Amino acid sequence: MTARAATGGVPSGSIALPDGVVHLRHHLDETAQRDLVDQVLHAIGEAFWFQPTTPRWNRPFSVRMSNLGTLGWVSDRRGYRYQKGHPESGLPWPAMPAALLELWRQVAGHPTLPEACLVNLYRDTARMGLHQDRDEHDFSAPVVSVSLGDTAMFRLGGMERNAPTRSFPLTSGDVLVLGGPARLAFHGIDRILPGSSDLIPGGGRINLTLRRVSQPLAKIASAGS
Ligand code: MD3
Ligand code: FE
């Protein structure tokens, strides 16, 4: 699949990286960014943040997390998984703001809607090591990522952990669409540049990742026949 096929009607002027990666620089203007941060922080409130821990060692991530939508990604000593409710309270995740569903429709080039929006909060020294996103049951939909607040140094590799990597900044309002062969690429956040934006109350960076998690019913039915 080419980047263009994976991402639908991407406006010209966007820059194609490795196959399946589209980086829409400053896709959201200042007003759209502020509105989105307001809506997301309001939906999450105080109650829905959690501190994920690593499965093997039960060590806290440096990133704080929450989720919006019908399914949310969680990590604890039992492993990585998607679930319908908050890991401590069991309460269902808040709904995804309409603006995020609209963004997906615009850039994902995929007929279904996202089920999960992982909200990552990076304050000053938070980072995310090189990893693949492979806890979903359907890799045919792209992952759509929205960067808000401080600039992050993003690292993108290949399909194997030891493949060469490249690094480039993600700035507030940038949208990344990762589909086709890039869907399973290794990636991470080396660091953020604290104080590079004042968008997030209390400082730092918020990344939103919109994902399809389950296989469409039609696909399950045809596989079983
Ligand atoms: C490349 N988040 O939550 S978003 C994650 O900025 C995650 O918080 C980072 O990696 C962040 O899993 C990076 C950009 C991104 C998201 C998904 C990808 C890049 C990707 C999936 C495949 C390849
Ligand atoms: Fe990831």
Side-chain angles (χ1 to χ4, degrees), residues 118 120 128-129 131-134 143 154 185-188 207 209 211:
L118 176 63
N120 292 331
M128 191 177 284
H131 67 278
Q132 288 173 298
D133 291 11
R134 49 183 315 152
V143 175
F154 176 67
F186 277 87
H187 60 277
N207 180 263
T209 46
R211 296 188 180 93

Side-chain angles (χ1 to χ4, degrees), residues 92-137:
W93 303 107
M96 256 186 252
L100 285 177
L101 297 173
E102 190 44 48
L103 175 69
W104 175 275
R105 279 193 203 97
Q106 250 181 46
V107 303
H110 194 268
T112 60
L113 287 177
E115 297 165 287
C117 173
L118 176 63
V119 183
N120 292 331
L121 174 61
Y122 296 76
R123 302 212 117 127
D124 49 305
T125 58
R127 52 184 295 281
M128 191 177 284
L130 207 66
H131 67 278
Q132 288 173 298
D133 291 11
R134 49 183 315 152
D135 302 317
E136 300 74 29
H137 305 288

Side-chain angles (χ1 to χ4, degrees), residues 143-167:
V143 175
V144 173
S145 141
V146 185
S147 292
L148 296 163
D150 283 345
T151 299
M153 294 311 296
F154 176 67
R155 188 164 292 281
L156 182 62
M159 304 285 284
E160 263 118 53
R161 182 173 286 281
N162 58 5
T165 64
R166 69 175 86 189
S167 158

Side-chain angles (χ1 to χ4, degrees), residues 5 21-22 55 63 70 75 82 95 97 102 105-106 123 133 143 168 184 189 208 219:
V21 182
V22 174
V63 178
T70 54
S75 177
Y82 283 90
E102 190 44 48
R105 279 193 203 97
Q106 250 181 46
R123 302 212 117 127
D133 291 11
V143 175
F168 55 90
L184 288 170
I189 296 292
L208 309 173
K219 220 167 149 174

